C-alpha cells in the first residue's frame, strides 16, 4: 500500500502560480512512477503530468505544457507540480497517483490515489 497526501491548492488569480505537493508513505516511493491528474465538476478525470521513477522522464498534457512542471524528490518521498501562468480553465481538483506499471496517461492504470486538493483560478 502507498498512502498519498496532496497539499498546496488554493485560490489564485489568472496568471498566478501555485505549487502542489504530494507526500507518499508506505512502500518504496522510488518504485513508482507518479502522475498528476485533475477533475473539474461534471468532467472526466484527465491526465496532467507524469514523472518516471528516477525522475529522468516527464510527460505533460498539451494543455499544460510549458506552464506546469512535475518533479520529484525520492529522498523526501514527495512529488511536486509547479503551476505557472494559471488560467481559469485550470480550475479543478488535482490528484496525485502512483503507478507500478508501464507508461500510461489513463487514470485507470494508476494504482494508488491521494484525496485531492482544490485549485481555483479566478479571471
Amino acid at each position: 500500500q502507498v498512502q498519498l497526501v496532496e497539499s498546496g491548492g488554493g485560490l489564485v488569480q489568472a496568471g498566478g502560480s501555485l505549487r502542489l505537493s504530494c507526500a507518499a508513505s508506505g512502500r518504496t516511493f522510488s518504485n513508482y512512477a507518479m502522475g498528476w491528474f485533475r477533475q473539474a465538476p461534471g468532467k472526466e478525470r484527465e491526465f496532467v503530468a507524469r514523472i518516471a521513477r528516477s525522475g529522468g522522464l516527464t510527460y505533460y498534457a498539451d494543455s499544460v505544457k510549458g506552464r506546469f512542471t512535475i518533479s520529484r524528490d525520492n529522498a523526501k518521498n514527495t512529488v511536486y507540480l509547479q503551476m505557472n501562468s494559471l488560467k481559469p480553465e485550470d480550475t479543478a481538483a488535482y490528484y496525485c497517483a502512483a503507478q507500478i506499471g508501464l507508461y500510461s496517461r489513463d487514470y485507470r492504470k494508476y494504482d494508488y490515489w491521494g484525496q485531492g486538493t482544490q485549485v481555483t483560478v479566478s479571471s
Side-chain angles (χ1 to χ4, degrees), residues 71-93:
S71 61
R72 67 189 294 164
D73 185 337
N74 286 346
K76 295 183 177 180
N77 290 350
T78 303
V79 63
Y80 306 96
L81 186 69
Q82 177 66 44
M83 306 186 295
N84 298 328
S85 302
L86 282 161
K87 304 175 181 180
E89 50 263 43
D90 295 318
T91 295

Side-chain angles (χ1 to χ4, degrees), residues 37-41 45 90-95 115-119:
F37 292 79
R38 65 187 182 187
Q39 188 167 18
R45 190 165 296 191
D90 295 318
T91 295
Y94 282 71
Y95 300 87
Q115 84 290 349
T117 185
Q118 179 67 34
V119 172

Side-chain angles (χ1 to χ4, degrees), residues 18-117:
L18 283 174
R19 188 195 197 201
L20 305 184
S21 299
C22 173
S25 60
R27 295 193 174 181
T28 305
F29 179 67
S30 58
N31 286 346
Y32 295 84
M34 298 298 297
W36 284 98
F37 292 79
R38 65 187 182 187
Q39 188 167 18
K43 295 188 177 181
E44 191 174 16
R45 190 165 296 191
E46 66 171 354
F47 171 80
V48 175
R50 185 182 191 271
I51 189 166
R53 291 176 293 178
S54 65
L57 292 174
T58 57
Y59 307 88
Y60 297 93
D62 287 344
S63 59
V64 307
K65 200 173 294 182
R67 301 187 297 122
F68 291 11
T69 302
I70 188 171
S71 61
R72 67 189 294 164
D73 185 337
N74 286 346
K76 295 183 177 180
N77 290 350
T78 303
V79 63
Y80 306 96
L81 186 69
Q82 177 66 44
M83 306 186 295
N84 298 328
S85 302
L86 282 161
K87 304 175 181 180
E89 50 263 43
D90 295 318
T91 295
Y94 282 71
Y95 300 87
C96 70
Q99 188 202 20
I100 196 72
L102 297 176
Y103 168 76
S104 177
R105 298 186 174 208
D106 184 348
Y107 69 90
R108 292 164 291 191
K109 301 293 186 182
Y110 285 70
D111 303 290
Y112 301 101
W113 290 85
Q115 84 290 349
T117 185

